[in-house]
Amino acid sequence: MSLLSKLRLVTVDVTGTLIAYKGQLGDYYCMAAKSAGMPCPDYKRMHEGFKAAYTEMTVKHPCFGHASNMPNIDWWKMCVKDSFIRAGYEYDDATFEKIFRRIYSTFGSSAPYSVFPDAQQFLRWLRNNGCTVGIVSNAEYRYKDVVLPALGLNEGSEWDFGVFSGIVGVEKPDRRMYEAALEMAGGVAAAEALHIGDSMRKDYAPARRAGMHALLLDRFRTAEAEGWRRSGAAVLPDLAAAREWLTAAAAPPATAAWRRSPSSQLTAETSE
C-alpha cells in the first residue's frame, strides 16, 4: 500500500520547496538605491547586514511583529534601515523612504521569486487525489495575499489553507505551526498527514515531533543532506521524485532512527 493512500493532508513549506529567490539580495537593494539617486551598495556587506538585522528583528519582534501588534510595513522599515546601517550606509529620511518603498513593494510582488517547474503540477495532483493541501511558512501576510497568487499558486486551486507565521503569531520550528495545520484541515490525525520542506530544523524535526510523516527536499544538493539521510530522514531531490515516492507500493524509508536517538535529533536540529 502506498503512503499516498494513507494520507488526508499534505503540508508544504514555501521558499526552497515551491519557490526560489531570483538573483541576490544585493540586486534589489542596488536597484532601490539607484532609483533614489544613490550609488549601489556593496553586495557582500549588504547581505551580511541584512542577515544580522533580520535575525535581531525576529528575536525582538517575532512573527513580523505579530505579538507586539507592529504593522508589517513598520517591521520591515526597521529591518531594512538597520540592514543599511550595519552595511555602512546611512541616508537622510527622505532618501531612505524612497529606497525603502521600492524594496518593500518589490518583495511584496512576484518579482524576486520563481516557481519550481514541478510545484504547481504537484500541488494540483495531490488535491486531485483527495488530499487537502496546506501551506506552512514563516512568512507574512503578503505571501498569502499577493506573492503566491501572483506566481500562479492560488488558494482554492493549488492549496486549501495556509499557516503563515505573520498571521498566526507562531513560527517554525514551533510544533504548534503543524498542530494548527492539522486543526485547520478539519482535525486530521497526525498519522494521516505529511509535511514536505527543505530544512531539518524547521520542517522535518517539528513535523515528526507533531506525529506527522515528513519528507525533506534537497533541490540544491546541500552538504547537510547526507547527515539528514544518516539520521533516518527521507530526502529527495524534487517534487517529481516525491510523487513517485508517495505512490510506491513499498513503504517509505524508515524514520525510526530519528525517533529513537536523542543525539541524532540534537545534531539535526542544530545543523541549520
Side-chain angles (χ1 to χ4, degrees):
M1 181 181 291
S2 69
L3 177 58
L4 181 66
S5 66
K6 303 174 185 178
L7 297 177
R8 293 175 56 203
L9 169 67
V10 176
T11 60
V12 290
D13 169 52
V14 176
T15 308
T17 302
L18 299 178
I19 70 175
Y21 288 110
K22 291 193 294 189
Q24 301 179 57
L25 179 80
D27 294 329
Y28 303 101
Y29 277 59
C30 178
M31 287 188 289
K34 285 185 173 181
S35 72
M38 303 302 293
C40 184
D42 180 82
Y43 275 38
K44 185 172 185 290
R45 283 157 51 196
M46 201 69 252
H47 176 79
E48 291 173 351
F50 174 80
K51 185 177 180 180
Y54 184 87
T55 299
E56 184 170 302
M57 284 295 291
T58 60
V59 173
K60 288 184 175 180
H61 305 285
C63 301
F64 304 96
H66 183 279
S68 53
N69 294 315
M70 179 184 293
N72 186 70
I73 193 169
D74 291 348
W75 193 96
W76 279 112
K77 185 174 288 188
M78 290 177 63
C79 184
V80 171
K81 187 168 189 176
D82 190 33
S83 299
F84 277 113
I85 291 172
R86 289 172 183 268
Y89 302 94
E90 293 194 54
Y91 307 105
D92 61 72
D93 291 345
T95 300
F96 174 72
E97 187 66 23
K98 290 179 182 177
I99 294 172
F100 170 71
R101 289 287 176 175
R102 175 71 176 263
I103 291 171
Y104 187 72
S105 63
T106 298
F107 283 94
S109 72
S110 61
Y113 312 100
S114 61
V115 183
F116 289 112
D118 54 10
Q120 186 183 67
Q121 183 180 17
F122 179 76
L123 298 177
R124 290 184 176 182
W125 173 77
L126 287 173
R127 296 182 80 243
N128 288 338
N129 277 276
C131 285
T132 298
V133 175
I135 301 292
V136 177
S137 176
N138 285 351
E140 34 111 337
Y141 77 92
R142 293 182 300 168
Y143 258 49
K144 176 180 184 291
D145 295 344
V146 182
V147 175
L148 291 179
L151 291 169
L153 301 177
N154 295 284
E155 186 173 6
S157 57
E158 280 73 39
W159 48 282
D160 298 286
F161 68 88
V163 184
F164 297 91
S165 62
I167 297 175
V168 301
V170 181
E171 61 188 9
K172 299 187 292 185
D174 194 319
R175 63 182 284 177
R176 288 178 294 173
M177 287 282 280
Y178 300 91
E179 291 168 350
L182 296 171
E183 185 63 28
M184 290 176 72
V188 171
E192 297 176 306
L194 165 73
H195 179 68
I196 303 173
D198 70 330
S199 168
M200 175 62 85
R201 186 176 70 88
K202 294 180 180 180
D203 292 303
Y204 188 92
R208 292 297 297 143
R209 285 197 297 270
M212 298 169 65
H213 300 276
L215 170 66
L216 283 166
L217 293 192
D218 180 35
R219 288 189 182 274
F220 304 107
R221 299 185 180 183
T222 62
E224 296 89 352
E226 188 52 42
W228 299 346
R229 293 185 180 93
R230 286 198 300 268
S231 76
V235 183
L236 295 173
D238 51 39
L239 292 173
R243 180 170 172 169
E244 294 181 10
W245 179 79
L246 282 166
T247 54
T255 54
W258 172 264
R259 297 193 299 272
R260 261 198 322 267
S261 174
S263 61
S264 294
Q265 179 169 333
L266 178 62
T267 301
E269 287 194 34
T270 56
S271 66
E272 292 295 320

